[in-house]
Amino acid sequence: MKPAATFAIVLVTAPDLKTARALAKAALKAKLIACANLVPKVESHYWWQGKMESGAEVLLVLKTQKSKLAALEKLVLAKHPYDTPEFLVLPVRAGSRKYLDWLTAATK
């Protein structure tokens, strides 16, 4: 294991696979992420404009470096169809040396 204080996982939800794929592709092309996992058929329950809502979404799990977060957030906010898209950053504490080296190289 290697300490990984410079890396982050970003969670974003999208309304459908087409949108999720477009967001992932744009972030990959811009070298803002090394990898995107798309998890379809996530059932979301939430408050929106004073009402309880629910719906099917796709969860994007994005792997990146902390130095890319501001640009990644800007890209997601610009290309996302939601008024208030989810953009949550989770710290990475450690990971395999080979994977973290790959993540670094993929986002240069």
Side-chain angles (χ1 to χ4, degrees), residues 8-12 32-33 35 37 59-65 69 72-73 76 86-90 92:
I9 302 291
V10 177
L11 303 178
V12 176
L32 298 176
I33 62 171
C35 176
N37 300 116
L59 175 65
L60 288 87
V61 181
L62 309 174
K63 287 85 169 211
T64 191
Q65 296 191 62
L69 288 173
L72 179 59
E73 181 183 27
V76 169
E86 176 180 5
F87 190 91
L88 295 176
V89 178
L90 307 175
V92 176

Side-chain angles (χ1 to χ4, degrees), residues 13-59:
T13 52
D16 52 49
L17 272 170
K18 181 179 178 184
T19 302
R21 287 177 179 139
L23 290 167
K25 186 176 180 179
L28 283 164
K29 280 182 129 180
K31 295 276 194 177
L32 298 176
I33 62 171
C35 176
N37 300 116
L38 279 54
V39 185
K41 298 183 182 180
V42 171
E43 186 176 312
S44 297
H45 297 261
Y46 52 93
W47 285 100
W48 183 247
Q49 298 180 340
K51 295 190 309 190
M52 201 169 9
E53 302 281 349
S54 65
E57 293 184 299
V58 177
L59 175 65

